[in-house]
Amino acid sequence: MSVAKARATVVDRVPTAVDDLPLLRAIALGGVAVVLGSFLSVLHQISVITGDPTLLYYAVAGSLLSGTIAARVIRPRTAAVIAMAAGIVGTYLYIETLPGGGGFLVLAEPILDDITGLLSGLSVLRIVNADVWALSIAPGPVFLTWYLAVRRRYVAASAVGGAGLGLLVLTGDATNAETLVGVTGVVVAVAIGDCERRDERFENVDTVALAVAAMVVLTLFVGVVPGAIGSVLPESEFGDSGSTIESSLVYAGDSAPVTGTVELSPERRYTVEAEEPANWRVGTYDRYTGGGWVRSGSSHGYDGRLSGPPGETRRLEQEYTAESTIATLPAARQPTRIDGVPVPVQVTPGGSFEPTSTLETGESYTVESEITVASADELRSAGTAYPDEIESRYTQLPDDTPDRVGERTEQLTANAENPYDTARVLEYWFQTEYDYSLEVDRPRGDVADAFLFEMDAGYCTYFATTMTAMLRTQGIPARMAIGYTPGEQVDDDEWVVRGYDSHAWVEVYIPEHGWIEFDPTPSEPREETAQQALGESEAGGTDGLDGTSGDDASNTTETETETETDPESGTETPEQEGTATPGAATEEPIAAGDAPDRGDGREASADGESESPLSSIPLPSGEQLGAGLAIALAAFVAVRRSGVTTRLYRAWWLRRLPSGPPAAVVAGAYRRAVYLESLAGRPKPPGETPRQFFIDADERLRRIERSYERARYGPGVDEAAAADARDALAAVRRERSRIAGWLKKPDRGSR
C-alpha cells in the first residue's frame, strides 16, 4: 500500500466517542487517585478521632507535590529509596512519641505488639499514639503511588496504594464502602492504564466494567465471609438489633460501638461474695470515636501485683464463682491482686483483668481491691494537677465534635468550681432530665451530640458516653467503665449477678485520689426494667434463686448500691455526707436544678439556630451505594455491547458541521459523507480510493470528494471550497435526516 493510500485509510476511519489516549490516561490516573483516596480516607478518620488532622493534610499535599515533581527528574529506583526513607523517618518520629523516648530496645516489645496486633486484625485506634502513626505512615505510600502513576506505571502504583489500603482493611479500620471504592480504583487503574500504555482503543475495555461490577458485588458480601473485615469487629457494629446490653458492652472487646435497641438477658453469670456491694468492673475505654469507644494500648501479662490508687484506701476482698461459661474477670475498682484463676491472666491498659480463655461453670477466683476513701470536701479541693499522660489520653475528643456540646456543658456547670462538682451536676442533670429506655434508634453522627440535643431517652451506654464527652470538653479526664452492678443480694455478703446487671458508668480522674465513679443513668427505671426481664424469664419456666422471686428481692440491690458504693467516699455513707439525694453534694448555687434546662434545645443548636431540614433526609447505606454502582456498571456494559452508545454518538457527530481551518473542514465533511453513504447501504471498502467510492454518488458528495483530494494530495483549498463542502454536506444531510436511519447499525465495513 502506498503512503498516500495509508494516509487516506487513517483519515477515512470514523471516530468513536472516546478515542483519545489522553482521556484514557486521565481515567487511569483517576483510578489511582481513587485508591489513594480510599487509603487516605481511613487515615483522615483516624486523625479526626484522635485530634487535629491538619498536619496530615500538609503531609499528603507535600507528598503529592513531591511525587509529581520527582516523576520528571528521578528514576523509579531512586523514588523507591526516597519512599523507604520517608517510612524510616516516620517510624523514628513515632517511636519518639512513645513513653521512654527513642530507646529502641526498650520499645521493641511494644512496637512488636503493635505490629502483631495490626496484622491480627486489631484497629489502629488501639495504638496509643494513633494520630502520630497515621501521620508517619502516609507520606511514603502517597509519594511513591503518585510518582508511579504520573510515570504511567499504573500496575505498580495500584500495588503500592492497594497495599496501604489492604493493611487498613486487615485492621478493620476500612469500612466496606472504602474497601469497595478502593478495589474499584485498582481495577480501573490497572485495566485502563494497561490499554493506555499499549495505545489500545477504549472499546477494548468493556471487560473492565464487568470486572469492576464483579468486585463491587463481592465487596458487598465481604462482611459475611469468615475472616473478612467484619469478623474483626463486634457483632453490634453491623447493627444487630437483637443484641443485649451485655453483648454490646461486656463482650465488646477492644471496640465498643454504641448500638440501637437492645434487650436484657436474665442468665446468671456470677456469684460474688464480698463484705459490701460494688460495681464489678470488667474494663474501661479511653478513646471516643464519635460513634463508640476503643480501648487503646496493649494488654500485658499479670506479674502478681498491680498498684492501687493514690491517697488513702481500704481493702475489699471478693470471691467470684462462674455460673456459666464466661470470658471476663470482674473486680471492684481498683483491683490490685487476683488469685486462683484457672487460666492465664492479662492486665488491660486501664488496669482491669482479662482471661486468655473462658472460665467454665463452677470455677472461681479471688480479687483484692483498694477502695478510695475520701470525703466530698477532699475531692472538691483536689485541684486539677493531672499527670500529663492522664490528661492527654482521657481528654481526647474527635476533632469534628460539635462545639455546642462544650457550650451546653458550660451552661449547665457554670456554677461548679471544681471537677468534682462539675461531674456531680452533670450526673444529677442526666438522672432527672432524661428517661431510661432500651428501645432507641442509633443516631447518625456524633452519639454524644445526638443524645444531648435530639434524644429524650436511652440506656446506660448513651448516658455514660455523653457525660464522658461533656466532661472532656471542659478538660476533665474521664472514661467510660463497663461491668456489672452489684446484682441481687441472696445472702449476707453474697450477690448473684445476671446478664441484665451489665452496665456502663463514668470514671473521673481526681488528682491525689485516682478514678472516682459517677453514674448518670437513672437507677429506678433501670432496676424496674431488669426486674421485669427477670419476671418474664420466671414466667417462662426459669426458677428463681433459692426460691426468691424477683419481687421479693426488688430494690435491695439499689439501696445497697447507693449506700455503699457512693463515689464520694469509701466508708462513709451518703447520709453521713448529706448526699442521699443525687446532686446534693454541691452547694445550692450550683445545683443542677439551677442550670438551664433543655427547653427546645433538642430542636436547635446552642446558639438558637434551627437544625437544617436536610439532616432528616435518610442517606443510602454503603451497601445500597455499592449495589447501585454494580447495576450502573452492568447497564453500561450492556449498552456498549448493543452498540447504542456508538450509534448515538455518530448521530450527534453527523449533526455537527465541521469547523476550523479550510483543510480540516473539508476533511471533516469528507468523513461525514463516507458515513452518510454507509448509512444508505454503501459502505466504503478498505482498499477503494475516494474517487472510486464516490464515482456514482450524489453530485454534492462528489464535490466534497474533489475538494478533499485537493486538500490532501493537491495544492490545498481555500475558505470558499471549505464553505462549499460544508453547504453540500448540510444539504445532503437534511435530505437523509431520518432518526431511524441514523440509529441504524452500520455495516462493519464503514469503520
Side-chain angles (χ1 to χ4, degrees):
M1 180 183 294
S2 66
V3 175
K5 287 187 176 181
R7 294 174 64 188
T9 301
V10 172
V11 175
D12 288 347
R13 181 169 63 84
V14 177
T16 57
V18 278
D19 191 33
D20 197 3
L21 290 180
L23 178 58
L24 292 183
R25 186 178 187 188
I27 295 175
L29 282 172
V32 175
V34 167
V35 179
L36 271 181
S38 300
F39 169 65
L40 293 174
S41 173
V42 184
L43 295 184
H44 175 261
Q45 185 61 24
I46 291 171
S47 298
V48 167
I49 289 173
T50 55
D52 186 356
T54 303
L55 288 178
L56 181 65
Y57 299 155
Y58 288 130
V60 171
S63 299
L64 291 173
L65 179 61
S66 300
T68 303
I69 297 173
R72 301 178 180 275
V73 297
I74 64 175
R75 295 181 177 181
R77 182 174 299 179
T78 306
V81 172
I82 293 175
M84 292 179 61
I88 293 173
V89 172
T91 301
Y92 173 77
L93 295 176
Y94 168 67
I95 292 175
E96 281 292 315
T97 65
L98 297 176
F104 180 78
L105 294 178
V106 175
L107 297 173
E109 183 176 352
I111 291 174
L112 290 175
D113 288 342
D114 286 345
I115 295 174
T116 302
L118 293 176
L119 295 179
S120 63
L122 296 179
S123 171
V124 172
L125 290 172
R126 285 202 60 211
I127 299 176
V128 175
N129 296 329
D131 53 340
V132 181
W133 185 91
L135 185 62
S136 66
I137 199 177
V142 172
F143 166 80
L144 187 57
T145 299
W146 195 243
Y147 166 88
L148 293 169
V150 174
R151 289 184 66 95
R152 301 174 63 190
R153 296 175 179 264
Y154 305 111
V155 174
S158 299
V160 175
L165 178 61
L167 173 63
L168 299 176
V169 170
L170 186 63
T171 64
D173 293 290
T175 64
N176 280 6
E178 288 163 333
T179 305
L180 173 136
V181 171
V183 169
T184 302
V186 169
V187 174
V188 170
V190 171
I192 301 293
D194 184 59
C195 290
E196 189 265 337
R197 283 176 61 85
R198 292 186 283 112
D199 294 340
E200 290 188 357
R201 293 161 61 115
F202 189 77
E203 292 174 343
N204 298 328
V205 297
D206 280 349
T207 52
V208 176
L210 290 174
V212 170
M215 289 293 185
V216 169
V217 174
L218 288 176
T219 308
L220 293 178
F221 292 98
V222 69
V224 299
V225 178
I229 178 175
S231 62
V232 301
L233 296 174
E235 181 181 20
S236 55
E237 179 75 9
F238 299 96
D240 178 19
S241 61
S243 65
T244 63
I245 291 182
E246 189 176 27
S247 66
S248 65
L249 286 177
V250 179
Y251 299 123
D254 297 307
S255 176
V258 179
T259 61
T261 297
V262 293
E263 300 175 353
L264 296 179
S265 170
E267 298 295 325
R268 289 179 289 180
R269 300 305 183 198
Y270 296 96
T271 296
V272 184
E273 295 183 19
E275 293 181 355
E276 61 184 80
N279 284 334
W280 318 119
R281 191 179 69 184
V282 170
T284 60
Y285 292 97
D286 61 304
R287 177 159 288 156
Y288 178 52
T289 68
W293 292 91
V294 172
R295 180 184 299 135
S296 66
S298 300
S299 299
H300 59 84
Y302 172 62
D303 59 6
R305 188 78 183 177
L306 300 180
S307 60
E312 184 180 355
T313 63
R314 59 184 173 78
R315 180 173 301 177
L316 175 64
E317 296 185 356
Q318 313 124 65
E319 180 177 356
Y320 297 81
T321 302
E323 297 292 342
S324 61
T325 301
I326 202 75
T328 57
L329 295 174
R333 61 156 186 91
Q334 174 69 36
T336 57
R337 186 178 181 86
I338 188 169
D339 293 302
V341 186
V343 298
V345 177
Q346 290 187 317
V347 181
T348 68
S352 300
F353 297 122
E354 61 180 9
T356 58
S357 59
T358 59
L359 275 65
E360 300 298 327
T361 303
E363 294 181 334
S364 62
Y365 63 94
T366 59
V367 175
E368 289 183 7
S369 298
E370 295 294 331
I371 308 299
T372 297
V373 177
S375 67
D377 288 339
E378 290 174 327
L379 296 175
R380 289 190 180 99
S381 61
T384 58
Y386 306 115
D388 291 341
E389 182 181 356
I390 293 293
E391 186 171 14
S392 62
R393 185 169 186 174
Y394 294 102
T395 58
Q396 165 271 333
L397 284 172
D399 187 62
D400 57 358
T401 300
D403 293 338
R404 63 180 183 173
V405 175
E407 293 167 357
R408 172 56 59 85
T409 306
E410 290 178 0
Q411 293 173 4
L412 292 171
T413 62
N415 294 325
E417 298 179 351
N418 55 77
Y420 175 78
D421 282 342
T422 299
R424 274 300 190 201
V425 168
L426 293 180
E427 178 187 53
Y428 177 67
W429 185 75
F430 277 112
Q431 291 174 347
T432 56
E433 292 293 329
Y434 278 79
D435 296 326
Y436 182 83
S437 175
L438 300 177
E439 298 182 0
V440 295
D441 293 329
R442 168 65 167 81
R444 290 183 179 272
D446 189 280
V447 171
D449 177 72
F451 188 64
L452 190 57
F453 292 98
E454 301 170 11
M455 299 175 66
D456 295 302
Y459 48 87
C460 59
T461 313
Y462 286 88
F463 285 93
T465 294
T466 307
M467 179 174 169
T468 301
M470 294 175 74
L471 288 168
R472 290 185 175 190
T473 65
Q474 306 306 302
I476 300 174
R479 65 187 183 185
M480 187 176 81
I482 60 165
Y484 296 93
T485 55
E488 179 183 353
Q489 186 170 10
V490 294
D491 201 351
D492 292 340
D493 301 338
E494 184 175 344
W495 287 263
V496 169
V497 179
R498 296 177 179 267
Y500 58 57
D501 293 314
S502 54
H503 192 46
W505 58 92
V506 179
E507 291 184 354
V508 178
Y509 190 86
I510 304 296
E512 301 179 3
H513 300 287
W515 294 101
I516 305 300
E517 294 179 354
F518 294 85
D519 191 351
T521 306
S523 58
E524 290 186 7
R526 179 177 60 80
E527 286 294 322
E528 291 173 358
T529 304
Q531 293 301 326
Q532 181 180 359
L534 178 61
E536 293 174 353
S537 174
E538 292 173 346
T542 303
D543 294 335
L545 294 168
D546 302 327
T548 305
S549 68
D551 292 336
D552 294 334
S554 63
N555 296 330
T556 302
T557 299
E558 184 61 34
T559 301
E560 294 290 342
T561 303
E562 291 183 357
T563 301
E564 300 295 339
T565 64
D566 181 75
E568 293 181 6
S569 61
T571 57
E572 299 178 24
T573 64
E575 288 77 12
Q576 291 171 313
E577 280 297 316
T579 57
T581 302
T586 60
E587 299 298 329
E588 185 66 23
I590 63 170
D594 290 340
D597 62 18
R598 293 173 304 193
D600 295 331
R602 299 192 190 284
E603 304 299 332
S605 62
D607 59 4
E609 294 181 0
S610 300
E611 294 291 335
S612 169
L614 297 178
S615 61
S616 61
I617 299 177
L619 299 176
S621 65
E623 287 76 8
Q624 291 171 329
L625 290 174
L629 178 59
I631 294 172
L633 288 170
F636 170 77
V637 172
V639 170
R640 280 192 55 80
R641 291 293 185 183
S642 68
V644 171
T645 54
T646 299
R647 293 196 295 275
L648 287 174
Y649 171 72
R650 289 179 176 176
W652 170 80
W653 170 75
L654 185 59
R655 291 182 62 86
R656 292 178 62 248
L657 291 176
S659 60
V665 172
V666 170
Y670 169 75
R671 287 193 293 269
R672 287 165 173 79
V674 172
Y675 186 54
L676 280 171
E677 289 294 275
S678 69
L679 291 178
R682 295 185 61 250
K684 182 179 180 300
E688 193 170 49
T689 65
R691 182 174 299 180
Q692 291 172 335
F693 179 66
F694 283 103
I695 192 169
D696 296 323
D698 187 291
E699 174 58 29
R700 290 165 295 188
L701 298 182
R702 292 180 63 188
R703 292 207 315 268
I704 295 174
E705 182 271 325
R706 288 193 292 270
S707 295
Y708 174 72
E709 283 188 340
R710 289 196 301 272
R712 179 62 62 179
Y713 312 115
V717 292
D718 55 16
E719 291 287 351
D724 178 69
R726 188 166 48 238
D727 293 342
L729 173 66
V732 175
R733 189 190 63 185
R734 281 194 298 271
E735 292 180 2
R736 303 183 183 183
S737 61
R738 294 179 300 172
I739 298 300
W742 289 349
L743 296 181
K744 178 181 178 182
K745 188 173 182 180
D747 191 290
R748 290 289 181 181
S750 66
R751 303 180 63 183

mmCIF file with all atom_site columns, all heavy atoms in Angstrom, residues 715-727:
data_model
loop_
_atom_site.group_PDB
_atom_site.id
_atom_site.type_symbol
_atom_site.label_atom_id
_atom_site.label_alt_id
_atom_site.label_comp_id
_atom_site.label_asym_id
_atom_site.label_entity_id
_atom_site.label_seq_id
_atom_site.pdbx_PDB_ins_code
_atom_site.Cartn_x
_atom_site.Cartn_y
_atom_site.Cartn_z
_atom_site.occupancy
_atom_site.B_iso_or_equiv
_atom_site.pdbx_formal_charge
_atom_site.auth_seq_id
_atom_site.auth_comp_id
_atom_site.auth_asym_id
_atom_site.auth_atom_id
_atom_site.pdbx_PDB_model_num
ATOM 1  N N   . PRO A 1 715 ? -2.847  21.141 -4.174 1.00 0.00 ? 715 PRO A N   1
ATOM 2  C CA  . PRO A 1 715 ? -2.338  22.429 -3.693 1.00 0.00 ? 715 PRO A CA  1
ATOM 3  C C   . PRO A 1 715 ? -3.041  22.948 -2.459 1.00 0.00 ? 715 PRO A C   1
ATOM 4  O O   . PRO A 1 715 ? -2.634  23.959 -1.884 1.00 0.00 ? 715 PRO A O   1
ATOM 5  C CB  . PRO A 1 715 ? -2.571  23.358 -4.883 1.00 0.00 ? 715 PRO A CB  1
ATOM 6  C CG  . PRO A 1 715 ? -3.755  22.764 -5.579 1.00 0.00 ? 715 PRO A CG  1
ATOM 7  C CD  . PRO A 1 715 ? -3.607  21.284 -5.442 1.00 0.00 ? 715 PRO A CD  1
ATOM 8  N N   . GLY A 1 716 ? -4.145  22.337 -2.038 1.00 0.00 ? 716 GLY A N   1
ATOM 9  C CA  . GLY A 1 716 ? -4.879  22.806 -0.876 1.00 0.00 ? 716 GLY A CA  1
ATOM 10 C C   . GLY A 1 716 ? -6.192  23.444 -1.258 1.00 0.00 ? 716 GLY A C   1
ATOM 11 O O   . GLY A 1 716 ? -6.551  23.527 -2.437 1.00 0.00 ? 716 GLY A O   1
ATOM 12 N N   . VAL A 1 717 ? -6.923  23.912 -0.282 1.00 0.00 ? 717 VAL A N   1
ATOM 13 C CA  . VAL A 1 717 ? -8.240  24.511 -0.502 1.00 0.00 ? 717 VAL A CA  1
ATOM 14 C C   . VAL A 1 717 ? -8.307  25.832 0.239  1.00 0.00 ? 717 VAL A C   1
ATOM 15 O O   . VAL A 1 717 ? -7.557  26.075 1.177  1.00 0.00 ? 717 VAL A O   1
ATOM 16 C CB  . VAL A 1 717 ? -9.365  23.573 -0.011 1.00 0.00 ? 717 VAL A CB  1
ATOM 17 C CG1 . VAL A 1 717 ? -9.455  22.330 -0.871 1.00 0.00 ? 717 VAL A CG1 1
ATOM 18 C CG2 . VAL A 1 717 ? -9.155  23.197 1.454  1.00 0.00 ? 717 VAL A CG2 1
ATOM 19 N N   . ASP A 1 718 ? -9.243  26.672 -0.225 1.00 0.00 ? 718 ASP A N   1
ATOM 20 C CA  . ASP A 1 718 ? -9.425  27.963 0.422  1.00 0.00 ? 718 ASP A CA  1
ATOM 21 C C   . ASP A 1 718 ? -10.743 27.985 1.188  1.00 0.00 ? 718 ASP A C   1
ATOM 22 O O   . ASP A 1 718 ? -11.455 26.980 1.263  1.00 0.00 ? 718 ASP A O   1
ATOM 23 C CB  . ASP A 1 718 ? -9.378  29.087 -0.611 1.00 0.00 ? 718 ASP A CB  1
ATOM 24 C CG  . ASP A 1 718 ? -10.389 28.875 -1.746 1.00 0.00 ? 718 ASP A CG  1
ATOM 25 O OD1 . ASP A 1 718 ? -11.318 28.037 -1.573 1.00 0.00 ? 718 ASP A OD1 1
ATOM 26 O OD2 . ASP A 1 718 ? -10.241 29.537 -2.793 1.00 0.00 ? 718 ASP A OD2 1
ATOM 27 N N   . GLU A 1 719 ? -11.072 29.147 1.746  1.00 0.00 ? 719 GLU A N   1
ATOM 28 C CA  . GLU A 1 719 ? -12.299 29.287 2.531  1.00 0.00 ? 719 GLU A CA  1
ATOM 29 C C   . GLU A 1 719 ? -13.538 29.016 1.698  1.00 0.00 ? 719 GLU A C   1
ATOM 30 O O   . GLU A 1 719 ? -14.515 28.432 2.178  1.00 0.00 ? 719 GLU A O   1
ATOM 31 C CB  . GLU A 1 719 ? -12.374 30.698 3.126  1.00 0.00 ? 719 GLU A CB  1
ATOM 32 C CG  . GLU A 1 719 ? -11.350 30.992 4.206  1.00 0.00 ? 719 GLU A CG  1
ATOM 33 C CD  . GLU A 1 719 ? -11.687 30.283 5.508  1.00 0.00 ? 719 GLU A CD  1
ATOM 34 O OE1 . GLU A 1 719 ? -12.791 29.701 5.628  1.00 0.00 ? 719 GLU A OE1 1
ATOM 35 O OE2 . GLU A 1 719 ? -10.834 30.299 6.422  1.00 0.00 ? 719 GLU A OE2 1
ATOM 36 N N   . ALA A 1 720 ? -13.509 29.414 0.409  1.00 0.00 ? 720 ALA A N   1
ATOM 37 C CA  . ALA A 1 720 ? -14.679 29.198 -0.455 1.00 0.00 ? 720 ALA A CA  1
ATOM 38 C C   . ALA A 1 720 ? -14.928 27.714 -0.660 1.00 0.00 ? 720 ALA A C   1
ATOM 39 O O   . ALA A 1 720 ? -16.077 27.251 -0.604 1.00 0.00 ? 720 ALA A O   1
ATOM 40 C CB  . ALA A 1 720 ? -14.462 29.903 -1.792 1.00 0.00 ? 720 ALA A CB  1
ATOM 41 N N   . ALA A 1 721 ? -13.870 26.927 -0.863 1.00 0.00 ? 721 ALA A N   1
ATOM 42 C CA  . ALA A 1 721 ? -14.030 25.485 -1.042 1.00 0.00 ? 721 ALA A CA  1
ATOM 43 C C   . ALA A 1 721 ? -14.531 24.838 0.238  1.00 0.00 ? 721 ALA A C   1
ATOM 44 O O   . ALA A 1 721 ? -15.362 23.912 0.207  1.00 0.00 ? 721 ALA A O   1
ATOM 45 C CB  . ALA A 1 721 ? -12.702 24.868 -1.482 1.00 0.00 ? 721 ALA A CB  1
ATOM 46 N N   . ALA A 1 722 ? -14.035 25.316 1.346  1.00 0.00 ? 722 ALA A N   1
ATOM 47 C CA  . ALA A 1 722 ? -14.485 24.760 2.629  1.00 0.00 ? 722 ALA A CA  1
ATOM 48 C C   . ALA A 1 722 ? -15.958 25.066 2.860  1.00 0.00 ? 722 ALA A C   1
ATOM 49 O O   . ALA A 1 722 ? -16.723 24.204 3.303  1.00 0.00 ? 722 ALA A O   1
ATOM 50 C CB  . ALA A 1 722 ? -13.635 25.328 3.767  1.00 0.00 ? 722 ALA A CB  1
ATOM 51 N N   . ALA A 1 723 ? -16.387 26.307 2.534  1.00 0.00 ? 723 ALA A N   1
ATOM 52 C CA  . ALA A 1 723 ? -17.794 26.668 2.708  1.00 0.00 ? 723 ALA A CA  1
ATOM 53 C C   . ALA A 1 723 ? -18.677 25.844 1.781  1.00 0.00 ? 723 ALA A C   1
ATOM 54 O O   . ALA A 1 723 ? -19.774 25.408 2.166  1.00 0.00 ? 723 ALA A O   1
ATOM 55 C CB  . ALA A 1 723 ? -17.983 28.155 2.452  1.00 0.00 ? 723 ALA A CB  1
ATOM 56 N N   . ASP A 1 724 ? -18.210 25.619 0.531  1.00 0.00 ? 724 ASP A N   1
ATOM 57 C CA  . ASP A 1 724 ? -18.989 24.810 -0.413 1.00 0.00 ? 724 ASP A CA  1
ATOM 58 C C   . ASP A 1 724 ? -19.138 23.384 0.102  1.00 0.00 ? 724 ASP A C   1
ATOM 59 O O   . ASP A 1 724 ? -20.229 22.790 0.014  1.00 0.00 ? 724 ASP A O   1
ATOM 60 C CB  . ASP A 1 724 ? -18.302 24.816 -1.780 1.00 0.00 ? 724 ASP A CB  1
ATOM 61 C CG  . ASP A 1 724 ? -19.042 23.943 -2.788 1.00 0.00 ? 724 ASP A CG  1
ATOM 62 O OD1 . ASP A 1 724 ? -20.161 24.326 -3.193 1.00 0.00 ? 724 ASP A OD1 1
ATOM 63 O OD2 . ASP A 1 724 ? -18.508 22.856 -3.122 1.00 0.00 ? 724 ASP A OD2 1
ATOM 64 N N   . ALA A 1 725 ? -18.060 22.789 0.666  1.00 0.00 ? 725 ALA A N   1
ATOM 65 C CA  . ALA A 1 725 ? -18.129 21.425 1.191  1.00 0.00 ? 725 ALA A CA  1
ATOM 66 C C   . ALA A 1 725 ? -19.090 21.348 2.370  1.00 0.00 ? 725 ALA A C   1
ATOM 67 O O   . ALA A 1 725 ? -19.888 20.403 2.484  1.00 0.00 ? 725 ALA A O   1
ATOM 68 C CB  . ALA A 1 725 ? -16.730 20.960 1.604  1.00 0.00 ? 725 ALA A CB  1
ATOM 69 N N   . ARG A 1 726 ? -19.060 22.349 3.224  1.00 0.00 ? 726 ARG A N   1
ATOM 70 C CA  . ARG A 1 726 ? -19.946 22.352 4.380  1.00 0.00 ? 726 ARG A CA  1
ATOM 71 C C   . ARG A 1 726 ? -21.394 22.498 3.950  1.00 0.00 ? 726 ARG A C   1
ATOM 72 O O   . ARG A 1 726 ? -22.288 21.815 4.474  1.00 0.00 ? 726 ARG A O   1
ATOM 73 C CB  . ARG A 1 726 ? -19.546 23.490 5.328  1.00 0.00 ? 726 ARG A CB  1
ATOM 74 C CG  . ARG A 1 726 ? -20.309 23.448 6.658  1.00 0.00 ? 726 ARG A CG  1
ATOM 75 C CD  . ARG A 1 726 ? -19.687 24.337 7.723  1.00 0.00 ? 726 ARG A CD  1
ATOM 76 N NE  . ARG A 1 726 ? -19.405 25.665 7.198  1.00 0.00 ? 726 ARG A NE  1
ATOM 77 C CZ  . ARG A 1 726 ? -18.192 26.218 7.184  1.00 0.00 ? 726 ARG A CZ  1
ATOM 78 N NH1 . ARG A 1 726 ? -17.158 25.557 7.664  1.00 0.00 ? 726 ARG A NH1 1
ATOM 79 N NH2 . ARG A 1 726 ? -18.008 27.435 6.688  1.00 0.00 ? 726 ARG A NH2 1
ATOM 80 N N   . ASP A 1 727 ? -21.668 23.372 2.969  1.00 0.00 ? 727 ASP A N   1
ATOM 81 C CA  . ASP A 1 727 ? -23.046 23.565 2.495  1.00 0.00 ? 727 ASP A CA  1
ATOM 82 C C   . ASP A 1 727 ? -23.557 22.308 1.802  1.00 0.00 ? 727 ASP A C   1
ATOM 83 O O   . ASP A 1 727 ? -24.728 21.929 1.975  1.00 0.00 ? 727 ASP A O   1
ATOM 84 C CB  . ASP A 1 727 ? -23.106 24.754 1.536  1.00 0.00 ? 727 ASP A CB  1
ATOM 85 C CG  . ASP A 1 727 ? -22.827 26.069 2.244  1.00 0.00 ? 727 ASP A CG  1
ATOM 86 O OD1 . ASP A 1 727 ? -22.934 26.094 3.498  1.00 0.00 ? 727 ASP A OD1 1
ATOM 87 O OD2 . ASP A 1 727 ? -22.486 27.054 1.554  1.00 0.00 ? 727 ASP A OD2 1
#
